[in-house]
Structures are given as structure tokens and as C-alpha cells.
Amino acid sequence: MTLSQALESGNPPEQLSGPLWVFPPNRDCDGGTAWWLGCDPEPVLIDCPPLTTTTLEVLKQLASGRTARILLTSREGHGRVRAFQDALGWPVLVQEQEAYLLPGLTSLDSFADQHTTAAGLRLLWTPGPTPGSCVVFAPDPWNVLFCGRLLIPVAFVQLAPLAHRRTFHWPRQLRSLQKLRQWIPSDSRPVLASGAPLGPLRGEKLAPWDAWKSQANQ
């Protein structure tokens, strides 16, 4: 039996605008959310979506023959990354604190504090939710901040940092938020794409930059 024969069919991702897609909740990641950004020359899959035949088919179509890269924002988003790499052959990039959690991947790269991809996306290490948490900033023309589990939807178009039983280090998470505000260009004000469950957004997928302003000033 092949991998595709063993998988559920699943639901397709939703296209939000141009090259930006959001996937259905992934139960392998506690209901977390994965994203696709079809940037050239290297599109990216940010965190792992549900492993279904539909997901694999759509990812191949979206890649259009290009080799995409899988960016993992924390251990909460790893999902079934090995199976995705086996099926698609795409390299994986993760912050170095969590690379040890992924032994055996055929192409695994890591970074320390910051990294810039071939398409100009910028990654920043933001420990707190997990030791190797990071965010991904896609500057213009996309202007999106993929914030992983650093900021979690808590109400309609409102995100906040939350401490829970899986939180690695709460004070470091708050310091990471301060670091993030200094790192993002002051005139960018990107929309926020969380890697956590999006249910509290009540149908919305993205939140405005100001959705976490009060929390970031704590």
C-alpha cells in the first residue's frame, strides 16, 4: 500500500489572497494552522498541515515544479514532517534548538538567531513558547508575519501571548515579543498569521498588526 492509499482524502486549503493559502486545522499539531506562501524562487510551507491526499496533491500543484522549503516555527508545528519530506522531497529549516527533534531527515538546515530565505523571507528566533520558536516575516509585496505560537488567537481579530502547561519559558516569551517589535520595520505593520488554532477569530484567518499592540507593551 502506498502512502497516498493509506491517507484520508481531507479538506483543501483556502486561498486568501494571491500566493497566500491557509490549511485546515491539523490534529497532529493540537489543531494548529499551517500556511503556504508561493514566493519565488523558493515557495514555503510554514509548519505542517494535515497529512492527507488532498494536501499532498494541492502542494504539488502550488509548487508548480519548484522545490519549496518547509519552515517550522516550533516543535508544536512539526506534525508529520518526515512523511511530507518523503512524499515531496522538500528541505526543512528549523531553529537550531529544535533540530535534534528531527533525526533522520534527508535535508535539514538550522539557524541560530536570524535567517533570510532565497525569496527574502526573514526568520527570527523568538524563544518562549518552545525553546526553538521562531517567526517568519514576509516583507512587501506580501507584508505578513507568520507568528507561530508566539501569538495565539483569543477573540475576534485579537491575538495575545498565552502561558499554558506546554509553555517553555514565559518571561522569555515576553522578551521575545519586545524583541519582535524592535525587529519589524516601524513602517511595515504586517498582518498576523498565527500557527495556533484560529477558532477564536470567528471565521477570520488573519489579524491586523494592532491586534496584539496592548499585549506587546506589557
Side-chain angles (χ1 to χ4, degrees):
M1 181 180 293
T2 65
L3 175 62
S4 60
Q5 291 173 330
L7 298 177
E8 299 176 0
S9 58
N11 295 317
E14 175 185 350
Q15 185 176 18
L16 298 184
S17 60
L20 181 62
W21 296 69
V22 59
F23 286 85
N26 185 0
R27 60 175 177 265
D28 294 323
C29 299
D30 293 320
T33 304
W35 303 82
W36 169 270
L37 185 63
C39 46
D40 287 320
E42 181 188 70
V44 293
L45 174 64
I46 301 173
D47 292 325
C48 280
L51 182 61
T52 66
T53 56
T54 297
T55 296
L56 292 175
E57 290 168 2
V58 170
L59 285 175
K60 291 174 183 177
Q61 294 170 4
L62 290 174
S64 300
R66 298 169 293 179
T67 297
R69 184 174 293 268
I70 302 173
L71 310 181
L72 300 176
T73 63
S74 80
R75 66 189 180 205
E76 303 283 350
H78 288 188
R80 299 175 65 182
V81 65
R82 292 176 184 82
F84 275 103
Q85 188 177 76
D86 290 343
L88 301 169
W90 295 347
V92 176
L93 178 64
V94 65
Q95 203 281 332
E96 63 183 10
Q97 296 287 332
E98 295 180 5
Y100 78 95
L101 296 171
L102 300 169
L105 291 185
T106 57
S107 181
L108 175 65
D109 297 315
S110 63
F111 71 98
D113 188 60
Q114 298 189 44
H115 180 85
T116 302
T117 73
L121 309 188
R122 299 170 55 201
L123 285 78
L124 176 70
W125 179 35
T126 52
T130 70
S133 291
C134 68
V135 298
V136 183
F137 174 50
D140 284 337
W142 312 286
N143 204 30
V144 180
L145 177 68
F146 301 94
C147 52
R149 304 291 179 111
L150 188 68
L151 292 165
I152 293 176
V154 293
F156 181 65
V157 294
Q158 183 177 346
L159 274 62
L162 293 180
H164 51 77
R165 60 181 178 80
R166 297 189 307 276
T167 299
F168 162 64
H169 198 289
W170 179 242
R172 291 192 74 178
Q173 182 165 343
L174 295 180
R175 290 197 295 271
S176 289
L177 285 167
Q178 296 174 351
K179 177 182 178 182
L180 174 61
R181 285 188 67 82
Q182 296 169 354
W183 180 71
I184 292 289
S186 59
D187 59 345
S188 293
R189 300 177 63 81
V191 295
L192 304 174
S194 177
L198 303 182
L201 296 181
R202 291 185 290 176
E204 296 294 324
K205 307 301 182 182
L206 300 167
W209 176 249
D210 286 341
W212 68 294
K213 182 176 180 181
S214 61
Q215 288 81 14
N217 290 333
Q218 289 178 357

